[in-house]
Amino acid sequence: MGENKKLVEAITSMEVDFAQWYTDVVKKAELIDYASVKGCMVIKPAGYALWENIQRELDAKFKATGVENVYMPMFIPESLLQKEKDHVEGFAPEVAWVTHGGMEPLQERLCVRPTSETLFCDFYKDDVQSYRDLPKCYNQWCSVVRWEKTTRPFLRSREFLWQEGHTVHATAEDAEARTIQMLNVYADFCEEYLAIPVIKGRKTDKEKFAGAEATYTIEALMHDGKALQSGTSHNFGDGFAKAFGIQYTDKDNTLKYCHQTSWGMSTRIIGGIIMVHGDDSGLVIPPRIAPTQVMVIPIQQKKEGVLDKAFEMKERLLAAGFKVKVDDSDKTPGFKFAEQEMRGIPVRIEIGPKDLEAGKCIIVRRDNREKTEVLLEELEAKTGEILERMQKEMLERARKHVEEHTYVAETYDEFCDIIENKPGFVKAMWCEELACEEKIKEDTTATSRCMPFIQEKIAGRCVCCGKPATKMVYWGKAY
Amino acid sequence: MGENKKLVEAITSMEVDFAQWYTDVVKKAELIDYASVKGCMVIKPAGYALWENIQRELDAKFKATGVENVYMPMFIPESLLQKEKDHVEGFAPEVAWVTHGGMEPLQERLCVRPTSETLFCDFYKDDVQSYRDLPKCYNQWCSVVRWEKTTRPFLRSREFLWQEGHTVHATAEDAEARTIQMLNVYADFCEEYLAIPVIKGRKTDKEKFAGAEATYTIEALMHDGKALQSGTSHNFGDGFAKAFGIQYTDKDNTLKYCHQTSWGMSTRIIGGIIMVHGDDSGLVIPPRIAPTQVMVIPIQQKKEGVLDKAFEMKERLLAAGFKVKVDDSDKTPGFKFAEQEMRGIPVRIEIGPKDLEAGKCIIVRRDNREKTEVLLEELEAKTGEILERMQKEMLERARKHVEEHTYVAETYDEFCDIIENKPGFVKAMWCEELACEEKIKEDTTATSRCMPFIQEKIAGRCVCCGKPATKMVYWGKAY
């Protein structure tokens, strides 16, 4: 119990200090380590395995919609970055510059990609000639660099891993359809795999991507009531096409500008998993995305037959398609429990000499500690049922959290009071004026998260200025 | 036929100009495109899909040996790069330097990783404390940058994709065993999946990795008789551990230095696939690694039933586990054949109205054009047999090519004559003096490829200086 207690005590309670709890979890669950490069992180095996699972599932969803993977260079010549005016203004302040190659200074400095619109455009301008070449739906998995001042593991770091999709279409309609399609892919993925419910909507002009005509977003609510922008999909219209000269000859033999989109999801979403599902014992990983779903923990493992049975159970569960490990280390069971809980492994199976005799084992869910006594002959079926139920209930619990932390404000006093005292989303009307959006941010630090696709008419007037308003916006403090 | 001819004529014959043939194939098979960043390439869908398959198979082989994936930052502070003397000397002349982050100059410049030994060492020095922590077997899939002066797609580019494994062990024996184990993984992968036979051996001190105690390599022979170093595995001994202070407390409670290895394979191997198997019609991809294994090409596709049958065949083959596409574009069959051949798709299936009537189709192998008439009811079985035989025969053919282009030289005159007139490997004895190795390179441009594990006693004396020699070396011109 001593060791066990030590491990558990090592993390700060989330009610006491959520930020410190988060930092403790990412370290103690061995997801990351800090690197000697300021603002960068080492993604350790447990963290990277989670990313690999996210990658595999998302990649399959992309490919099912006709997306193909490619790889662009990581360097962007300064002149290329500057071709689209809004884009360079948005990104130039936060890029890393390469000025020397080997011993010699470069003729033109290169930035390390913060995102690759300019490279894709430069490529598409030659690759696309005719309507027959369209659409092109390319994606790449890579790392990008943004020279942030303050950083936090997964949420904001100078280098992070992501995928960025870049598509070219013949018409504005096709581009808009692809933009929405990919937003839906992200939303479905978050709900089905990560058990994270999201609000789908459009960003205000202030919050949209540098160079986009429209940015769509999925917004998730963390345990502390702050929002996390979890994936974005941008419709560029023909803005980049005009800046880069991406044209095609249409069926009617006229030259037309293409329409483009881009969309991305990053390792940031791992921060979302931690902050939506975690608790004071550590991480809780949804079963469908967990690198290890079951940890078999033998009790009194030196007693005859216990370890053999534990490994036999592992083999049976592996054969049934589960991801299973046995913790046969020389630690105490209590320590092993605490470790399995800290790492967020969805269920543990306890098997000791008495269970062995009775032909039973105990399955313990990570999220609610529910214990189920299971007959060994029903091991595979019960494990499957319990994991499925857990996945479903994690989503329901997270949904309930969003519902319970979504408020409505009609007046500005109400709005400010909620933002200050009730962490969560605030739904309120907005007149679509930048001034109101800026005032709200100035007064409360809350930002517009999105104009949700599902609009409700809460009131007739802007929550800030009182002028007539027809747009309902989700507001909140955000990561 | 006009279009068809155009496509075929577009590539240079390999006998006329092998280098130009190579460049033509990578472009026409749509593996890569040049980027506006000098010396960098865009890996297009066909090229990237090949790399994804390589990744998936290699990654599974790594994991089967207990390797875990991680991700390290792409930047290395200059002071960290300098910690191991030989290492920095080897790499500093060819790294790209980041000197500015956003608008401000950095206090210490950062190089973009040319390889990540220093980052892994910096991480391991804190992560490894006790013998219980060992071994650690980590790998990462990423891109690296080396500021090369002359570049060629896949073979030598300023940025390339690879994996780099980095392991830490308690003893010298464990490190040596892991080094050899991973070399064997590479060799088996090349033979089983890529149908590329390789020579396994040890690099001479002159050719070993900067900072390594021993470098092992697999060397493949290209169609033009030049060698390609296709994968390397390094034993670092405790050199890096001493430079970085990576120590562990052993069971006997004493502090000991760790022993380390690293090993890598890169997109360079795609150049190997092209140059071992390709021909004047383009690429030939071994079936086991091909992103598309079968292209169904309907003949007279507007005739009733032909396209339906083509898609029905596709569905049947997909269901049987093959990777299949139908080319139902409005190009002529001849053009489609040429395109399928250029892209190296292992087999095409021709199906026209007459075949339909006879309940047959024609399967044509890409490598030797062998045609097989197949009853439609035997489609899956025959496709499988043909692909398997093709995979096997491609390896046999490549093996024969190596045998027929491996020569033995006892005297220096013989040696120089072979290097000049008979492209291939030359087996010759070497006294282990650097001077002889340098003289050979100076006189012939050939380099020592490796000291093969399987040694033969060709002669008693060094082929260069005539002094007594016990080491047999493979020599050759190389990419």
Side-chain angles (χ1 to χ4, degrees):
Chain A
M1 265 313 280
E3 274 174 324
N4 177 7
K5 254 186 107 180
K6 208 174 87 193
L7 190 72
V8 174
E9 279 180 353
I11 83 165
T12 308
S13 161
M14 58 204 296
E15 302 306 329
V16 172
D17 182 345
F18 193 78
Q20 188 58 48
W21 168 83
Y22 178 82
T23 310
D24 287 352
V25 171
V26 290
K27 280 281 293 179
K28 295 278 170 187
E30 300 195 354
L31 299 179
I32 69 114
D33 217 327
Y34 295 98
S36 59
V37 191
K38 193 171 165 293
C40 293
M41 57 184 176
V42 172
I43 307 182
K44 296 176 75 173
Y48 199 81
L50 198 47
W51 181 240
E52 282 182 308
N53 284 354
I54 292 170
Q55 258 190 310
R56 190 180 49 245
E57 303 300 344
L58 262 186
D59 197 67
K61 279 180 180 276
F62 294 162
K63 284 178 177 157
T65 73
V67 170
E68 297 178 293
N69 285 337
V70 299
Y71 187 77
M72 292 281 157
M74 70 154 84
F75 298 124
I76 307 174
E78 188 163 18
S79 55
L80 201 61
L81 188 70
Q82 289 169 338
K83 280 209 170 177
E84 209 287 334
K85 201 180 65 53
D86 293 334
H87 189 69
V88 65
E89 273 175 25
F91 285 103
E94 58 175 30
V95 296
W97 292 104
V98 173
T99 57
H100 288 70
M103 299 309 185
E104 284 156 34
L106 301 180
Q107 292 197 313
E108 178 182 12
R109 58 182 193 160
L110 306 170
C111 82
V112 183
R113 64 179 161 223
T115 181
S116 305
E117 275 73 14
T118 53
L119 291 166
F120 275 90
C121 286
D122 188 51
F123 171 74
Y124 283 138
K125 80 172 194 302
D126 299 321
D127 207 48
V128 173
Q129 300 291 339
S130 148
Y131 70 92
R132 284 193 198 85
D133 300 329
L134 297 173
K136 295 258 182 216
C137 301
Y138 291 169
N139 173 66
Q140 71 177 359
W141 292 92
C142 63
S143 81
V144 286
V145 168
R146 296 180 189 176
W147 219 251
E148 308 276 1
K149 293 224 158 33
T150 49
T151 60
R152 301 192 60 195
F154 296 120
L155 300 174
R156 197 171 290 280
S157 57
R158 287 189 169 173
E159 180 188 5
F160 57 91
L161 301 179
W162 80 344
Q163 59 64 221
E164 45 179 324
H166 296 266
T167 70
V168 202
H169 305 269
T171 67
E173 294 69 39
D174 289 354
E176 179 68 9
R178 172 58 74 169
T179 313
I180 300 297
Q181 180 182 27
M182 300 319 287
L183 191 79
N184 284 327
V185 165
Y186 291 145
D188 293 349
F189 171 73
C190 284
E191 304 211 343
E192 290 166 17
Y193 286 85
L194 311 184
I196 297 179
V198 295
I199 310 293
K200 294 189 266 190
R202 183 173 169 168
K203 286 280 184 193
T204 62
D205 280 354
K206 178 180 184 317
E207 298 288 331
K208 76 182 183 188
F209 182 84
E213 204 169 274
T215 289
Y216 300 97
T217 179
I218 50 170
E219 299 283 325
L221 195 68
M222 304 296 103
H223 183 87
D224 64 347
K226 281 166 90 171
L228 186 77
Q229 176 180 307
S230 302
T232 48
S233 188
H234 316 290
N235 184 345
F236 291 125
D238 57 8
F240 274 93
K242 284 183 172 157
F244 283 80
I246 310 172
Q247 289 179 294
Y248 70 98
T249 306
D250 205 352
K251 286 174 188 163
D252 62 8
N253 219 24
T254 62
L255 208 57
K256 292 179 182 165
Y257 282 107
C258 294
H259 290 74
Q260 292 174 270
T261 83
S262 83
W263 24 276
M265 185 174 263
S266 76
T267 37
R268 182 162 226 238
I269 197 68
I270 296 176
I273 298 172
I274 299 167
M275 292 194 291
V276 167
H277 302 300
D279 63 23
D280 280 348
S281 302
L283 197 57
V284 183
I285 306 179
R288 288 192 76 180
I289 208 74
T292 304
Q293 298 171 308
V294 179
M295 181 64 86
V296 180
I297 300 182
I299 315 290
Q300 296 183 274
Q301 65 187 30
K302 281 174 185 155
K303 288 265 168 80
E304 203 190 320
V306 174
L307 262 186
D308 285 347
K309 181 55 80 176
F311 280 101
E312 181 197 315
M313 290 163 74
K314 175 189 165 188
E315 290 310 318
R316 279 175 57 190
L317 289 169
L318 281 177
F322 300 103
K323 296 163 186 160
V324 196
K325 285 186 178 169
V326 174
D327 187 348
D328 65 342
S329 64
D330 54 11
K331 297 162 191 164
T332 64
F335 191 93
K336 292 179 187 180
F337 294 170
E339 221 165 44
Q340 166 255 326
E341 294 191 349
M342 183 61 72
R343 291 179 186 166
I345 295 166
V347 301
R348 71 167 170 261
I349 301 186
E350 305 174 6
I351 176 89
K354 280 181 203 160
D355 306 303
L356 208 62
E357 225 167 85
K360 287 178 183 171
C361 65
I362 314 268
I363 301 187
V364 186
R365 262 170 67 168
R366 169 64 185 88
D367 60 332
N368 62 3
R369 260 81 166 190
E370 186 187 278
K371 291 187 181 199
T372 311
E373 208 174 73
V374 168
L375 288 171
L376 288 183
E377 59 261 39
E378 295 179 336
L379 179 66
E380 296 89 339
K382 289 290 177 192
T383 302
E385 280 172 32
I386 290 169
L387 287 172
E388 257 178 59
R389 210 170 61 237
M390 176 171 165
Q391 178 82 30
K392 193 166 145 278
E393 290 175 11
M394 284 179 75
L395 177 59
E396 283 165 9
R397 202 177 304 126
R399 262 207 190 108
K400 195 154 163 275
H401 182 260
V402 177
E403 278 161 25
E404 289 174 355
H405 294 82
T406 301
Y407 306 93
V408 173
E410 290 189 36
T411 70
Y412 200 55
D413 279 352
E414 268 175 20
F415 185 90
C416 294
D417 177 58
I418 295 168
I419 292 290
E420 204 181 321
N421 300 308
K422 295 176 180 166
F425 285 132
V426 188
K427 297 195 277 191
M429 301 305 289
W430 174 53
C431 63
E432 297 177 58
E433 289 296 329
L434 178 62
C436 286
E437 208 179 344
E438 283 177 341
K439 179 172 161 55
I440 287 174
K441 189 172 178 186
E442 177 78 26
D443 291 350
T444 67
T445 75
T447 49
S448 71
R449 303 316 310 151
C450 70
M451 300 177 282
F453 290 157
I454 300 168
Q455 285 278 322
E456 301 159 49
K457 188 159 180 175
I458 287 167
R461 297 181 170 277
C462 174
V463 74
C464 183
C465 68
K467 285 187 197 143
T470 54
K471 274 275 179 315
M472 193 267 276
V473 172
Y474 270 81
W475 307 84
K477 294 186 185 178
Y479 281 97
Chain B
M1 266 314 281
E3 276 174 320
N4 177 6
K5 254 187 107 182
K6 209 175 86 194
L7 189 76
V8 174
E9 279 181 356
I11 83 166
T12 308
S13 159
M14 58 205 295
E15 301 306 328
V16 172
D17 184 345
F18 193 79
Q20 188 58 47
W21 167 85
Y22 178 82
T23 310
D24 288 352
V25 170
V26 291
K27 280 281 292 179
K28 296 278 169 187
E30 301 197 351
L31 299 179
I32 69 115
D33 216 328
Y34 296 98
S36 59
V37 191
K38 194 174 166 291
C40 292
M41 57 183 174
V42 173
I43 307 182
K44 295 176 75 174
Y48 199 81
L50 197 48
W51 181 239
E52 282 182 307
N53 284 354
I54 292 170
Q55 258 190 310
R56 189 179 51 246
E57 302 301 345
L58 261 187
D59 197 67
K61 280 181 180 275
F62 293 163
K63 284 176 176 157
T65 73
V67 170
E68 297 177 293
N69 285 337
V70 299
Y71 187 77
M72 292 281 156
M74 71 154 85
F75 297 125
I76 307 173
E78 188 163 17
S79 56
L80 200 61
L81 188 71
Q82 289 169 338
K83 278 208 171 177
E84 208 287 332
K85 201 179 67 50
D86 292 334
H87 189 68
V88 67
E89 272 175 27
F91 284 102
E94 59 175 30
V95 296
W97 292 103
V98 174
T99 57
H100 289 70
M103 300 307 186
E104 284 155 34
L106 301 179
Q107 291 197 315
E108 179 181 13
R109 56 182 194 162
L110 305 170
C111 82
V112 182
R113 63 180 161 223
T115 180
S116 305
E117 276 72 14
T118 53
L119 291 167
F120 275 90
C121 286
D122 188 50
F123 170 75
Y124 283 138
K125 80 174 193 301
D126 299 320
D127 208 49
V128 172
Q129 300 292 339
S130 148
Y131 69 93
R132 284 191 199 86
D133 301 328
L134 297 173
K136 294 256 183 219
C137 300
Y138 291 169
N139 173 64
Q140 73 177 358
W141 293 92
C142 62
S143 81
V144 286
V145 168
R146 297 180 188 176
W147 219 251
E148 306 276 1
K149 292 225 162 29
T150 49
T151 60
R152 300 193 61 194
F154 296 120
L155 299 174
R156 196 170 291 277
S157 57
R158 286 188 170 174
E159 181 187 4
F160 57 90
L161 302 178
W162 80 345
Q163 59 66 221
E164 45 178 326
H166 297 266
T167 70
V168 201
H169 306 269
T171 67
E173 294 69 38
D174 289 354
E176 179 68 7
R178 172 58 74 167
T179 313
I180 299 298
Q181 180 182 27
M182 300 319 287
L183 191 79
N184 285 328
V185 165
Y186 291 145
D188 293 348
F189 171 74
C190 283
E191 305 211 343
E192 289 166 17
Y193 286 84
L194 311 184
I196 297 178
V198 295
I199 310 292
K200 295 189 266 191
R202 182 172 170 169
K203 286 281 184 194
T204 61
D205 281 353
K206 177 179 186 316
E207 300 287 332
K208 76 181 182 189
F209 181 85
E213 204 170 275
T215 288
Y216 299 97
T217 179
I218 51 171
E219 300 283 325
L221 196 66
M222 304 298 102
H223 183 86
D224 65 346
K226 280 166 91 171
L228 185 78
Q229 177 180 307
S230 303
T232 48
S233 189
H234 316 290
N235 185 344
F236 290 126
D238 57 10
F240 274 92
K242 284 183 171 158
F244 282 81
I246 310 172
Q247 289 180 293
Y248 70 98
T249 307
D250 205 352
K251 286 176 190 162
D252 62 8
N253 219 25
T254 61
L255 208 56
K256 293 180 180 165
Y257 281 106
C258 294
H259 290 74
Q260 292 174 270
T261 82
S262 83
W263 24 275
M265 184 174 266
S266 76
T267 37
R268 182 163 227 237
I269 196 69
I270 296 177
I273 297 172
I274 299 167
M275 292 194 291
V276 167
H277 302 301
D279 63 24
D280 280 348
S281 301
L283 198 57
V284 183
I285 307 180
R288 289 192 75 180
I289 207 75
T292 304
Q293 297 171 310
V294 179
M295 181 63 86
V296 180
I297 300 182
I299 315 291
Q300 296 184 274
Q301 64 187 31
K302 281 172 187 157
K303 289 265 168 81
E304 203 191 319
V306 173
L307 262 187
D308 287 346
K309 182 56 79 178
F311 281 101
E312 183 198 311
M313 289 162 74
K314 175 189 165 187
E315 291 310 318
R316 281 175 56 190
L317 289 168
L318 281 177
F322 299 103
K323 296 165 188 159
V324 195
K325 284 187 178 167
V326 175
D327 188 346
D328 63 343
S329 64
D330 54 10
K331 298 164 192 163
T332 64
F335 191 93
K336 292 179 187 181
F337 295 171
E339 222 166 42
Q340 166 256 326
E341 294 191 350
M342 183 61 71
R343 292 180 185 166
I345 295 167
V347 302
R348 72 167 170 261
I349 301 186
E350 305 174 3
I351 176 88
K354 278 181 203 159
D355 305 303
L356 209 63
E357 226 167 83
K360 288 178 181 169
C361 65
I362 313 268
I363 301 186
V364 186
R365 263 170 66 168
R366 169 63 185 91
D367 59 332
N368 62 3
R369 262 80 168 191
E370 185 188 280
K371 292 187 181 199
T372 311
E373 207 175 70
V374 169
L375 288 171
L376 288 182
E377 61 260 38
E378 295 180 336
L379 179 65
E380 295 90 338
K382 288 291 176 189
T383 302
E385 278 173 32
I386 290 169
L387 288 172
E388 257 178 60
R389 209 171 59 238
M390 177 172 164
Q391 177 82 30
K392 192 167 146 277
E393 289 175 12
M394 283 179 76
L395 176 60
E396 282 166 9
R397 201 177 305 125
R399 259 205 193 111
K400 195 154 163 275
H401 182 260
V402 177
E403 278 161 25
E404 288 174 357
H405 294 82
T406 301
Y407 305 94
V408 172
E410 290 189 36
T411 70
Y412 200 54
D413 280 348
E414 268 175 18
F415 185 89
C416 295
D417 176 59
I418 295 167
I419 293 290
E420 203 182 321
N421 300 307
K422 297 176 181 168
F425 285 131
V426 188
K427 299 194 277 192
M429 301 305 290
W430 175 54
C431 62
E432 297 176 60
E433 290 296 331
L434 178 62
C436 286
E437 209 179 345
E438 283 176 340
K439 179 173 162 52
I440 286 174
K441 189 172 179 186
E442 177 78 26
D443 291 350
T444 68
T445 76
T447 49
S448 71
R449 303 316 310 152
C450 70
M451 300 178 280
F453 290 158
I454 300 167
Q455 285 279 320
E456 301 159 49
K457 188 160 180 176
I458 287 168
R461 296 183 170 273
C462 175
V463 76
C464 182
C465 68
K467 284 185 196 145
T470 56
K471 275 274 179 314
M472 193 268 277
V473 172
Y474 271 81
W475 307 84
K477 294 186 185 178
Y479 281 96

